[in-house]
Amino acid sequence: MRAAFLAITTVYAESGSGFVMPSASAKSGVEAMNKSLAAEWGRYGMRFNIIQPGPIKTKGAFSRLDPTGRFEKEMIDRIPCGRLGTMEELANLATFLCSDYASWINGAVIRFDGGEEVFLSGEFNSLKKVTKEEWDLIEGLIRKTKGS
């Protein structure tokens, strides 16, 4: 028997987040179940993988979570790729993970968020706001420093 199972959860299933406790709790349980089944049932030809999408603009989600459009720019500003994901990109990844091309991928968790999670978790990532002129000034100060 060969089968591919795919769970689509969210990035905050790992970390938790304000205002999404029921969703985060349920999705983290789905992730634990899929990882456990990958380990236990892989020998039967069954594969279990997970996609954790970040913000993807859909009418259903954005009409409820951002009805005024107020937060969309803030979301985009914290995504290193500089845009929201698309349903087509998610569908392409899902198709790949369920295909024979991914027949040796089992128990994987694919973060699909344009780099948002790693940007938010880095303490120096706000340096993204530093201008070219400010970088030049910083470099000059560093070069003048002797020792540590």
Side-chain angles (χ1 to χ4, degrees):
M1 169 193 281
R2 288 175 42 166
F5 297 87
L6 181 63
I8 298 180
T9 61
T10 186
V11 174
Y12 61 73
E14 281 184 34
S15 61
S17 178
F19 308 101
V20 292
M21 187 276 300
S23 172
S25 298
K27 290 175 181 181
S28 66
V30 167
E31 288 190 5
M33 178 186 72
N34 274 266
K35 291 174 196 175
S36 298
L37 290 171
E40 188 176 337
W41 293 0
R43 65 182 171 188
Y44 301 117
M46 297 180 193
R47 299 184 298 110
F48 296 83
N49 293 300
I50 301 159
I51 300 174
Q52 295 176 329
I56 295 177
K57 189 169 184 176
T58 62
K59 183 180 177 185
F62 274 60
S63 67
R64 292 174 182 90
L65 299 173
D66 190 20
T68 65
R70 177 178 169 200
F71 301 108
E72 184 174 346
K73 182 180 179 335
E74 287 180 36
M75 279 186 241
I76 292 169
D77 285 345
R78 67 177 184 243
I79 298 172
C81 288
R83 64 180 179 81
L84 302 173
T86 68
M87 289 299 297
E88 293 79 13
E89 291 169 320
L90 179 58
N92 287 337
L93 177 57
T95 300
F96 169 74
L97 287 173
C98 292
S99 76
D100 287 341
Y101 292 110
S103 63
W104 209 55
I105 300 175
N106 185 29
V109 179
I110 310 294
R111 186 177 296 126
F112 182 71
D113 68 351
E116 180 184 32
E117 176 69 15
V118 292
F119 181 77
L120 292 175
S121 63
E123 64 185 273
F124 292 104
N125 287 332
S126 61
L127 290 174
K128 167 185 165 183
K129 298 174 186 173
V130 174
T131 66
K132 166 83 169 91
E133 293 76 25
E134 290 169 324
W135 277 120
D136 291 342
L137 176 64
I138 292 168
E139 179 185 2
L141 293 170
I142 291 169
R143 291 188 183 280
K144 288 179 186 175
T145 304
K146 302 288 186 220
S148 57

